[in-house]
Amino acid sequence: MTSEVTYAEVKFNKPKSSGTKSEPPAAPKETNLHQSGHSFSKLLLTSLLILLLLLAISFLIAFLFYFQKCSYVHKEEKATRELTHTELECVKENSTPEGKDWSCCPKSWGPFSSNCYFISNGANFWNDSEKECLRMNAHLLVINTKAEQDFITQKLETRYAYYMGLSDKTLPMGERHWQWVDQTPYNESATFWHGGEPNNPNEHCVMLNAVSKKWGWNDSPCNERHKFICKMMKIYL
């Protein structure tokens, strides 16, 4: 009997069952976790919105700063260009693109349309010619129309060749990619090559020269010395 009682006492162990019955109260913990997760999501969303707002404000400030800086640089470059040429020859006009009364070109430069043109006295390599034009706040000649071509060639001497602002990079397949120095798109329909030109993929620069007294474009080595022509926008006062 004693052993049976002992067995009954050993089997009678209710902490587990009472523990099992006490599990339901744990449900509120899951609710609390759900609420905490929901609050965390709201906090994360709010933080992201604040971050995006700060980024937008920073971008706006940077844009305004950049715009002001560009405006300042543009005005400074314009003032520098006007000061570079201390002697100007001006013509009074009824209206100008900038609403001013006078359109001017530096002395010894020729005016045509809204531009001024300078023909060098000395000869230079193509790269040095472009640097010399840049020093005068201009660039090597870019021709956009036949009228411009005719205006320029009337002022040239047939015994010389003149560098202009057109050069190329030969692509791997041998195709030639022509590019103006002022980034004007190269327009095949507005070109004035001599017959059969360009004819040498090893000649990467372009010059104006006269063949049988007829002016046209010719590809040329960039390391030959030729005269050159610079072009710049008119100065308005």
Side-chain angles (χ1 to χ4, degrees):
M1 292 295 295
T2 303
S3 62
E4 291 180 358
V5 172
T6 303
Y7 174 78
E9 288 177 353
V10 172
K11 190 176 181 181
F12 185 74
N13 186 5
K14 292 190 176 182
K16 290 184 179 181
S17 59
S18 61
T20 305
K21 291 180 180 179
S22 63
E23 286 179 2
K29 293 182 180 179
E30 294 178 0
T31 303
N32 291 336
L33 288 173
H34 178 71
Q35 291 176 349
S36 299
H38 186 64
S39 300
F40 179 77
S41 298
K42 282 186 175 181
L43 180 62
L44 180 61
L45 180 61
T46 303
S47 300
L48 288 174
L49 289 174
I50 293 173
L51 179 60
L52 289 174
L53 180 61
L54 291 174
L55 287 174
I57 293 173
S58 300
F59 178 80
L60 179 61
I61 293 173
F63 175 79
L64 291 174
F65 176 79
Y66 178 78
F67 178 79
Q68 290 178 345
K69 184 176 180 180
C70 287
S71 299
Y72 174 79
V73 170
H74 175 72
K75 290 178 181 179
E76 188 177 43
E77 286 179 348
K78 183 180 177 183
T80 302
R81 183 181 68 164
E82 292 175 356
L83 290 173
T84 299
H85 306 283
T86 55
E87 293 186 63
L88 302 177
E89 295 179 343
C90 302
V91 176
K92 188 172 180 61
E93 297 187 5
N94 294 328
S95 62
T96 67
E98 298 187 11
K100 304 294 181 68
D101 295 326
W102 299 86
S103 66
C104 308
C105 284
K107 189 176 181 180
S108 74
W109 290 58
F112 177 76
S113 185
S114 59
N115 299 295
C116 307
Y117 301 83
F118 172 80
I119 302 170
S120 72
N121 292 319
N124 242 327
F125 300 137
W126 190 91
N127 284 334
D128 292 335
S129 299
E130 171 63 1
K131 288 179 183 178
E132 184 63 18
C133 291
L134 290 173
R135 187 188 66 79
M136 296 185 287
N137 293 298
H139 54 73
L140 277 173
L141 174 66
V142 174
I143 294 178
N144 297 306
T145 64
K146 188 176 187 305
E148 188 174 22
Q149 165 95 357
D150 292 341
F151 164 78
I152 289 297
T153 55
Q154 289 173 4
K155 298 181 175 296
L156 305 181
E157 298 182 64
T158 56
R159 56 179 172 157
Y160 297 116
Y162 300 81
Y163 276 133
M164 50 191 295
L166 186 62
S167 61
D168 88 313
K169 293 180 180 179
T170 302
L171 302 179
M173 297 301 293
E175 181 183 353
R176 308 187 73 172
H177 177 70
W178 295 102
Q179 181 64 60
W180 291 106
V181 289
D182 68 346
Q183 305 305 309
T184 299
Y186 175 74
N187 183 1
E188 185 67 43
S189 63
T191 60
F192 307 96
W193 296 100
H194 284 298
E197 300 292 344
N199 65 352
N200 191 337
N202 296 316
E203 297 176 344
H204 299 289
C205 293
V206 178
M207 63 182 182
L208 264 171
N209 67 342
V211 176
S212 300
K213 297 186 178 180
K214 182 179 179 180
W215 288 96
W217 303 358
N218 191 0
D219 55 351
S220 166
C222 301
N223 59 355
E224 291 183 351
R225 291 185 179 275
H226 296 295
K227 290 191 174 186
F228 57 93
I229 306 165
C230 301
K231 176 181 178 179
M232 66 181 290
M233 290 287 292
K234 282 182 176 178
I235 300 169
Y236 296 100
L237 302 173

